[in-house]
Amino acid sequence: MSAFWGVVRRDLLIARRQGGSSLLAVGFFVVVAALFPFAVGADPATLRGVAPGVIWVSALLATLLSLDRLFQADFEDGSLDVLALSPLPLFMTVLAKVLAHWLVVGLPLVIAAPLVGVLLNLPLAAFPVLLGAALLGTPALSLIGAIGAALTAGVRRGGVLVPLLVLPLYIPTLIFGVAATAAAADGLPVAEPLMLLASLTLMALVVAPVASAGALRLALG
Amino acid sequence: MSNPAPTGLAVDDLSCRRGDHEVFAGLSCGAEAGGALVLRGPNGAGKSSLLRVLAGFIPPSAGTVRWKGEDIGDDPGAHRAVLHYVGHLDPLKPVLSAAENLTALARLMGGQILVVEALERFGIAHLRDLPVRFLSAGQRRRLNLARLVATPRPLWLLDEPTVALDARATAELEQLIADHRAAGGVVVAATHIGIEIPGAAVVELAGRRRRAA
């Protein structure tokens, strides 16, 4: 278990030293969302209607921004060989790296979500559900993204492939994240979409580390 | 052929194929505890591929690799916990200091962690708080090799370990290999240039021509 936390601490330390990863993700999130009032018009009722969808799409795009480096940096400098020789099974190493990614990128997005909600005139009553849905859904974004990142780790300029591989897999999370947020905005029951969102994240928790570890093993060969 | 109680590495009739290209075939060699293998051959002869097969990164297309009598394919998890692999790249993060890099790598490997000893052994203790982006190629190489000391493991797979090292550091590495073998460890090293590993068995890899198996 100490090797697991060793991986998490290493990635958090690198992120802190390099700086800017969290700020970049949050900045991208806010700027993309802020474009929509210019695109669809600043009518409060229109914005309120599109707010749940815009918040979630912007969060997906902001998560994608940092994914290409998740394993590629370790592949390029040979760290992947060392990770593969750890007594920790490779899927646990993947899980540790995904946890670090979520702490650096996902959690700041959750915290920034209410700000974007205000920008887009989301009703105040929907904010607790927005936060809850973001907390439940963003781990799935990091987990599913890891599969794309692992598949392209050994591919030159593979980073541009990650959105093509990953965005289609994000659709279920997008649907139920938006459904929960929209239901809360309209005062409808939210338990069902939230539970479906949680189940998607649990499913990703089971599948993604194993799938990513398999893809990384190919990159080792 | 094999000893009653094998204590080291035994390679039997090993073949490796990358795509359609047969890198080597019918290779047999071995080293008991305290032994060493030196891999020689022209560029592209398959020295690096052989080391990656021995590490379990590439499955062999035929033949077996045994460590202490156990086929490494039977329990890859157990095999990867006994070995160090030092490849062409130095797995160091430029933004972390020398000590932070080595501590992180040692923690990944688990087991006993001797970071300070490792830094001192390679004469880089004074660089411990310097970010790795300021280190020279030779200093990075030393830091990479310090992993061998930081977490003791019995099997060392070294791919051109002396690249970028000066004479003093090369001598230190030779001493380290000798100490490791004296303690019962096994070393497999691919090398073109002068590193003295006394009593090592030399494995000649022929290159593109396929050998008669």
Side-chain angles (χ1 to χ4, degrees), chain B residues 60 66 76:
Chain B
R66 290 175 192 280

Side-chain angles (χ1 to χ4, degrees), chain B residues 26-50:
Chain B
L27 183 77
S28 297
C29 56
E32 291 302 304
L37 288 174
V38 172
L39 312 181
R40 291 200 196 282
N43 294 134
K47 301 186 291 294
S48 297
S49 296
L50 175 55

Side-chain angles (χ1 to χ4, degrees), chain B residues 116-139:
Chain B
V116 178
E117 291 85 337
L119 289 167
E120 277 167 0
R121 182 88 201 229
F122 275 93
I124 44 176
H126 61 292
L127 303 172
R128 54 173 301 145
D129 295 324
L130 205 61
V132 160
R133 65 173 178 277
F134 298 131
L135 299 191
S136 76
Q139 287 168 331

Side-chain angles (χ1 to χ4, degrees), chain A residues 3 6-7 9-10 13-14 17-18 73-74 76-79 81-89 217 220-221, chain B residues 18 52 55 57-58 80-81 83-85 89-93 95-97 100 104-105 107-110 147 153:
Chain A
V7 178
R9 280 166 65 180
R10 170 175 171 273
L13 189 62
I14 293 167
R17 283 295 159 73
Q18 276 171 343
D74 284 330
E76 283 168 0
D77 67 12
S79 298
D81 293 340
V82 184
L83 290 170
L85 293 178
S86 168
L88 204 62
R217 244 179 262 287
L220 282 173
Chain B
R18 311 301 303 273
R52 292 188 79 79
F57 293 152
I58 308 174
R80 64 173 176 255
L83 69 95
H84 272 301
Y85 171 84
L89 301 163
D90 298 319
L92 307 170
K93 299 294 176 190
V95 290
L96 303 188
S97 75
E100 284 166 343
L105 290 172
R107 236 189 246 130
L108 290 182
M109 302 304 261
R147 288 196 280 139
R153 286 185 165 192

